Amino acid sequence: MTKIFVLGYPGDMGGANTECWHTVKLWRKFGLDVHFIPTWGYDPVWREKLDAIGCTTHRVDPGKLEDVPGIEGSATIGFCNSEFILSGPKLRSLGCKMIWVNCMTFMFDYERRFFEEHGPADAMIYQSEFQRSEIEPQLAASGYEASSGHLIRGAFDYEEWRFDPQGHEAGSPFVVGRAARPDLD
């Protein structure tokens, strides 16, 4: 069975945290063995949800990744989590494949520094062609090859969102939006 290690933890807020949850649920439906290494602590409620779908949580300091059973040589993934990138040298020393899901249309300084100093991730995941077109040129200087980039639209479980249309008066504004970080570039 394929084993995947996620550095980080899902949560109720934020694109990366919710995308992580929906993606992991999909992986579990297909039988992947998913392990989590929380990077900023963990919420017991989320631990219970992950346990319920068959995931494993390893409570270990990111600096002690070698203590995680089975991580050596495995696929590791970070959903827009700076601790994943900062743990990159350790992951590479353990022979891990690094899969990076940047949830933005720009790169943070810590990403740029890591890729410049240590080379690109083994695989980059993009949610849209627009995102890909914005990020790939920035990776070129680090030795990135487009063949390691993959367009995988974020998983979304409709069962978690109740369909509850609200009344709307004719002629009044109808607004749809999403709270997100601004693109500083």
Side-chain angles (χ1 to χ4, degrees):
M1 178 183 301
T2 301
K3 191 181 287 192
I4 296 176
F5 289 85
V6 179
L7 272 72
Y9 225 57
D12 296 311
M13 298 279 295
N17 292 340
T18 55
E19 181 181 358
C20 178
W21 169 241
H22 291 266
T23 301
V24 166
K25 286 175 61 178
L26 181 65
W27 288 344
R28 289 296 304 136
K29 283 183 182 179
F30 285 96
L32 286 133
D33 185 10
V34 183
H35 294 250
F36 281 89
I37 303 166
T39 53
W40 297 302
Y42 79 101
D43 180 339
V45 172
W46 277 99
R47 169 81 185 253
E48 195 172 303
K49 286 181 176 187
L50 292 170
D51 288 350
I53 64 170
C55 295
T56 302
T57 297
H58 301 274
R59 293 190 66 191
V60 62
D61 183 277
K64 298 281 188 182
L65 292 172
E66 66 274 7
D67 294 343
V68 177
I71 195 169
E72 199 167 327
S74 293
T76 60
I77 188 164
F79 288 85
C80 210
N81 180 320
S82 60
E83 290 298 318
F84 175 79
I85 294 292
L86 296 173
S87 297
K90 174 66 87 173
L91 292 169
R92 290 218 166 127
S93 75
L94 293 169
C96 297
K97 295 293 183 195
M98 292 180 65
I99 304 162
W100 180 234
V101 182
N102 176 321
C103 300
M104 307 296 178
T105 57
F106 60 92
M107 291 195 321
F108 288 102
D109 288 339
Y110 68 84
E111 290 175 82
R112 280 190 189 94
R113 270 192 311 277
F114 177 80
F115 296 141
E116 287 168 6
E117 294 172 11
H118 303 283
D122 296 292
M124 291 287 294
I125 307 301
Y126 303 106
Q127 288 87 7
S128 71
E129 286 297 342
F130 174 74
Q131 180 196 33
R132 182 182 209 145
S133 72
E134 292 293 308
I135 294 174
E136 278 190 336
Q138 298 176 57
L139 292 169
S142 67
Y144 171 81
E145 294 181 15
S147 61
S148 67
H150 307 278
L151 177 64
I152 302 175
R153 303 202 188 274
F156 186 82
D157 184 352
Y158 292 104
E159 292 176 8
E160 295 214 9
W161 298 91
R162 186 176 63 137
F163 181 68
D164 186 19
Q166 303 296 304
H168 180 258
E169 288 184 34
S172 65
F174 181 75
V175 179
V176 176
R178 179 177 182 208
R181 278 180 264 194
D183 183 338
L184 302 177
D185 292 339

